[in-house]
Amino acid sequence: SAVISQKPSRDICQRGTSLTIQCQVDSQVTMMFWYRQQPGQSLTLIATANQGSEATYESGFVIDKFPISRPNLTFSTLTVSNMSPEDSSIYLCSVEGSIPRAYGYTFGSGTRLTVV
Amino acid sequence: AQSVTQLDSQVPVFEEAPVELRCNYSSSVSVYLFWYVQYPNQGLQLLLKYLSGSTLVKGINGFEAEFNKSQTSFHLRKPSVHISDTAEYFCAVSDRPGAQKLVFGQGTRLTINP
């Protein structure tokens, strides 16, 4: 299965600032997914990123707050903009298995964000 | 839209005892099911998945799960747990494998007591 490198692993940020999270995959994948895990909660999909096109956002998430880039088939970034304490969460990127019939979504180790 | 219900938010068990973590999903024509484990301060690791075929799926670390279409369930089991199994477990569902988002349950915190 794919191996994902996600950076930074954690950060403490001031409210009103922005943080960009990077997700690098060791193989080419069609779709990349960005999830949020609020404290003590399950995972919620923020958006799906397809190379060369606009990301598709889930209900409750907007591009101005969570802009996403997907410049190639192995890399994506998620920016958390104009942060507030409510944005304190773990953010995870995920990809589907890049090998045909391997089907299984692989997750990065996550970025633990604290906004103060 | 798919939904997943994990019936127990917390499950405490003693070491070497058997455990079952329950998961029910909303009915769909086709469904693909996954169990993930999240150890403290770590990302998610795939335990096992059901795509098709045998309804009994074996995964890593001695876990297995059984797909029951009539009961729309995918319960996770282990015959004898270890302290190292202490973690959060998430059941997830997709309408089709690949290039499709996962819908997660709320998670079950499994605590193993010595």
Side-chain angles (χ1 to χ4, degrees):
Chain A
S1 59
V3 176
I4 299 175
S5 174
Q6 190 173 336
K7 297 178 183 179
S9 59
R10 59 178 64 232
D11 208 341
I12 301 173
C13 301
Q14 297 290 324
R15 70 171 67 207
T17 63
S18 298
L19 175 71
T20 296
I21 302 167
Q22 299 181 1
C23 182
Q24 177 76 52
V25 190
D26 68 344
S27 54
Q28 294 184 342
V29 293
T30 305
M31 307 291 276
M32 297 180 77
F33 307 89
W34 286 99
Y35 288 84
R36 181 177 73 182
Q37 185 180 21
Q38 295 178 298
Q41 302 292 317
S42 186
L43 283 78
T44 301
L45 182 67
I46 297 172
T48 302
N50 196 5
Q51 191 264 338
S53 63
E54 292 274 341
T56 302
Y57 288 83
E58 296 296 304
S59 176
F61 297 96
V62 295
I63 187 171
D64 289 346
K65 176 66 175 177
F66 297 101
I68 288 172
S69 77
R70 182 79 200 276
N72 57 53
L73 291 173
T74 63
F75 187 78
S76 178
T77 66
L78 169 76
T79 299
V80 186
S81 304
N82 188 24
M83 289 184 285
S84 66
E86 292 71 33
D87 294 319
S88 297
S89 296
I90 300 172
Y91 293 85
L92 300 104
C93 72
S94 174
V95 302
E96 65 157 311
S98 59
I99 303 172
R101 297 187 179 276
Y103 302 134
Y105 298 82
T106 303
F107 284 79
S109 55
T111 296
R112 187 177 297 270
L113 171 62
T114 302
V115 183
V116 297
Chain B
Q2 284 283 4
S3 66
V4 179
T5 302
Q6 291 183 242
L7 298 165
D8 307 294
S9 60
Q10 297 187 58
V11 173
V13 296
F14 287 106
E15 194 172 15
E16 298 184 4
V19 69
E20 178 180 80
L21 306 183
R22 296 180 292 171
C23 172
N24 286 89
Y25 61 93
S26 58
S27 181
S28 178
V29 174
S30 62
V31 64
Y32 304 92
L33 295 151
F34 305 82
W35 273 100
Y36 285 86
V37 60
Q38 185 178 36
Y39 298 105
N41 299 313
Q42 295 188 28
L44 271 71
Q45 181 181 5
L46 180 66
L47 272 178
L48 48 79
K49 62 194 176 197
Y50 171 78
L51 304 178
S52 65
S54 173
T55 58
L56 183 62
V57 179
K58 294 191 181 297
I60 62 172
N61 302 341
F63 284 93
E64 63 181 32
E66 185 160 17
F67 171 59
N68 188 320
K69 188 174 182 178
S70 63
Q71 298 187 5
T72 61
S73 68
F74 191 56
H75 300 334
L76 181 70
R77 301 186 183 101
K78 187 170 182 178
S80 176
V81 295
H82 189 267
I83 291 284
S84 60
D85 292 322
T86 295
E88 190 87 18
Y89 292 80
F90 293 97
C91 182
V93 63
S94 171
D95 286 336
R96 64 181 174 91
Q100 182 77 3
K101 71 177 184 181
L102 290 176
V103 175
F104 284 85
Q106 289 302 304
T108 298
R109 180 170 298 277
L110 176 62
T111 303
I112 311 301
N113 298 308

